[in-house]
């Protein structure tokens, strides 16, 4: 049987294809691993990226000024009951904070940094409840009309706190609390439970949310009810083209390995944002850990006693508030000693802890 030219070409192509597959499968595979890659030090890589000169500065400044013209409109939409959701390429942290500090000065503002690895939402709700009670005291002349607080907010459940924030008998008060959430899609808020709590906070009649998102799949965190009823988002495309300097500080770089100096530097930056008393309490814990390296940590009672003797705290509630900040920023952790007693420790190596003390000293 004769074979025409077209069939012969097709046969030759098939033969070459299967021959290549056979040779490829028998070839020796590379034994290299990702761990064999010589990664640069994280501090060096961050220093190199920080030294990159920004481009198009004039255009970016003009773009930011154009957004500032929207401030009055944003306040109007907040007063109408909407939540503002900012999206677009670039960090929106500086823009939102400028809006809050310049335009929302008459309203109490609570900031949640969603780019942190862990966030205590109950502490946020407690802070909102305390601010709202202060707001009621300011707005009302007589204390007889104020809602009675039978127990401290710190000992009440989240449901009770949210009920207090959503009281229907104080609707005549023309005021609200603003909650600024940087990276509402961040790792500390990305789980379902946190998003449901945030949606319940946003649905309170005296709460307004201003949030930013950066992940392309962030809208998948919410269902239809959360978007249109609870959050009641008004979407704004706000590309700033600003680098994620603060947000990226808490994430390890892919092409770098962490170092002692970098760990100490990151912790020092976080500590500098806290109060002097909180820093002093942290130094007590750090000094104890360095001088008692054979122990598993510092007992809470010991820390309270020393802090009280140095007039850094007046009660255990004050110390607990400092420890909550430490734990939220992963500066301090809790573990159980062999005798069953809980103790506090700083998850840093000895050399990193010594460098941190010199940084904040």
């Amino acid at each position: 049987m004769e074979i025409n030219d077209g069939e012969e070409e097709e046969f030759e192509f098939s033969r070459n294809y299967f021959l290549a597959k056979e040779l490829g499968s028998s070839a020796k595979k590379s034994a290299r691993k990702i761990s064999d890659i010589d990664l640069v030090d994280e501090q060096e890589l961050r220093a190199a990226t920080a030294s990159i000169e920004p481009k198009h500065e004039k255009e970016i400044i003009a773009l930011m000024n154009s957004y500032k013209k929207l401030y009055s409109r944003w306040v109007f939409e907040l007063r109408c009951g909407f939540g503002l959701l900012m999206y677009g390429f670039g960090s929106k942290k500086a823009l939102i904070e400028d809006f809050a500090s310049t335009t929302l000065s008459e309203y109490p503002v609570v900031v949640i940094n969603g780019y942190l690895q862990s966030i205590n939402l109950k502490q946020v709700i407690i802070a909102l409840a305390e601010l709202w009670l202060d707001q009621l005291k300011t707005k009302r002349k007589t204390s007889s009309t104020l809602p009675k607080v039978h127990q401290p907010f710190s000992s009440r459940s989240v449901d009770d706190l949210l009920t207090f924030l959503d009281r229907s008998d104080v609707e005549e008060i023309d005021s609200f609390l603003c909650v600024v959430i940087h990276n509402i899609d961040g790792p500390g808020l990305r789980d379902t439970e946190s998003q449901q709590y945030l949606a319940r906070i946003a649905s309170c009649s005296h709460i307004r949310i201003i949030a930013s998102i950066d992940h392309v799949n962030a809208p998948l965190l919410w269902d239809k009810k959360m978007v249109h009823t609870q959050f009641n988002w008004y979407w704004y495309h706000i590309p700033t083209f600003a680098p994620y300097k603060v947000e990226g500080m808490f994430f390890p770089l892919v092409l770098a390995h962490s170092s002692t100096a970098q760990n100490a530097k990151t912790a020092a930056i976080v500590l500098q944002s806290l109060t002097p008393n909180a820093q002093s309490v942290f130094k007590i814990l750090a000094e104890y850990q360095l001088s008692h390296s054979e122990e598993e940590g510092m007992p809470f009672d010991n820390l309270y006693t020393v802090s009280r003797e140095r007039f850094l705290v007046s009660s255990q509630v004050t110390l607990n508030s400092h420890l909550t900040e430490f734990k939220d920023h992963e500066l301090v952790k809790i573990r159980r000693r062999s005798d069953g007693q809980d103790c506090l420790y700083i998850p840093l190596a000895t050399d990193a802890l010594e460098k941190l003390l010199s940084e904040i000293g």
Side-chain angles (χ1 to χ4, degrees), residues 75-76 78-79 99-109 131-132 135 138-139 173-178:
V75 175
F76 174 74
L78 289 173
R79 294 177 65 88
F99 166 64
S101 61
T102 58
T103 315
L104 300 176
S105 56
E106 61 180 293
Y107 304 104
V109 179
L131 284 174
W132 180 237
Q135 192 79 350
T138 304
K139 293 289 183 178
I173 300 297
D174 184 22
S175 183
F176 52 81
L177 307 179
C178 295

Side-chain angles (χ1 to χ4, degrees), residues 119 121 184 187-201 226 231:
I119 297 171
L121 281 181
I184 195 173
L189 300 172
R190 202 172 291 166
D191 58 288
T192 303
E193 184 180 10
S194 296
Q195 290 296 324
Q196 290 175 348
Y197 276 130
L198 291 174
R200 293 178 63 186
I201 293 172
M226 296 168 71
F231 286 118

Side-chain angles (χ1 to χ4, degrees), residues 96-239:
I96 294 176
E97 289 181 349
D98 181 72
F99 166 64
S101 61
T102 58
T103 315
L104 300 176
S105 56
E106 61 180 293
Y107 304 104
V109 179
V110 174
V111 179
I112 302 175
N113 295 320
Y115 50 79
L116 298 177
Q117 298 297 321
S118 60
I119 297 171
N120 191 331
L121 281 181
K122 184 175 181 180
Q123 292 295 329
V124 173
I125 299 174
I126 291 173
L128 289 172
E130 292 173 347
L131 284 174
W132 180 237
L133 183 60
D134 292 339
Q135 192 79 350
L136 293 179
K137 292 178 180 178
T138 304
K139 293 289 183 178
R140 296 186 173 183
K141 297 180 180 179
T142 59
S143 59
S144 59
T145 58
L146 289 175
K148 296 181 180 180
V149 180
H150 301 287
Q151 61 183 122
F153 290 125
S154 58
S155 61
R156 298 172 67 172
S157 66
V158 174
D159 292 333
D160 290 342
L161 293 170
L162 291 172
T163 301
F164 172 77
L165 290 171
D166 196 31
R167 290 178 63 93
S168 59
D169 58 342
V170 291
E171 291 182 354
E172 72 276 6
I173 300 297
D174 184 22
S175 183
F176 52 81
L177 307 179
C178 295
V179 180
V180 172
I181 309 176
H182 298 301
N183 298 98
I184 195 173
D185 54 341
L189 300 172
R190 202 172 291 166
D191 58 288
T192 303
E193 184 180 10
S194 296
Q195 290 296 324
Q196 290 175 348
Y197 276 130
L198 291 174
R200 293 178 63 186
I201 293 172
S203 64
C204 294
S205 55
H206 305 288
I207 302 289
R208 299 294 184 271
I209 303 287
I210 306 106
S212 65
I213 57 174
D214 287 287
H215 199 284
V216 66
N217 293 325
L220 298 177
L221 295 171
W222 312 306
D223 56 29
K224 187 176 181 180
K225 176 185 176 182
M226 296 168 71
V227 171
H228 298 293
T229 304
Q230 294 178 302
F231 286 118
N232 197 20
W233 290 130
Y234 202 111
W235 298 68
Y236 272 99
H237 183 219
I238 307 293

